[in-house]
Amino acid sequence: MKISRNPKEIHPPVAPYVHQIEITGPNRWLTFSGQIGMALDGTVPEDPIIQLQLALNNIKKNLECAGMTVADLTKVVFYLVGEFDTAQRKHVMRDFFGDHCPCMTMLYVVALASPVLKVEIDAWAYQEMI
């Protein structure tokens, strides 16, 4: 079964997409649209570190909406634009992931869908059904 969701705790999609699709069967897969550093009210802060925190929070809210946690993340891809303070970036990521280590890719790109966006995160989560 395929279930599409737009959690109310996250800004509405900014184009014709959904924030997440859950695929159920003997196990559950959850795939996300790229999550950006946008607040619930639609604002995007200038600070890329705050955008990173917001995008990760949007990942967390998507997980919670599906009854999952950060520990269920299997693959995370970061798309970053411009300069990021490496120490701050690592600190934010450590706070979010804790001891969990999903597969991860980090790319620095020229631009995202809007010039104000400095962060987009693509993710997959898996949950074994017992």
Side-chain angles (χ1 to χ4, degrees), residues 11-82:
H11 61 86
V14 296
Y17 64 84
V18 296
H19 279 297
Q20 61 173 268
I21 295 175
E22 178 182 340
I23 301 166
T24 60
N27 299 303
R28 299 171 66 211
W29 279 100
L30 185 64
T31 183
F32 300 80
S33 289
Q35 297 298 299
I36 56 177
M38 182 181 285
L40 181 59
D41 65 4
T43 59
V44 177
E46 288 185 32
D47 186 328
I49 293 297
I50 296 173
Q51 284 193 35
L52 177 61
Q53 291 170 324
L54 282 168
L56 288 168
N57 188 55
N58 289 340
I59 294 283
K60 186 176 182 181
K61 296 294 183 184
N62 269 289
L63 289 164
E64 290 169 354
C65 181
M68 294 183 173
T69 69
V70 170
D72 293 312
L73 288 170
T74 58
K75 174 72 175 179
V76 183
V77 180
F78 292 84
Y79 300 91
L80 308 175
V81 177

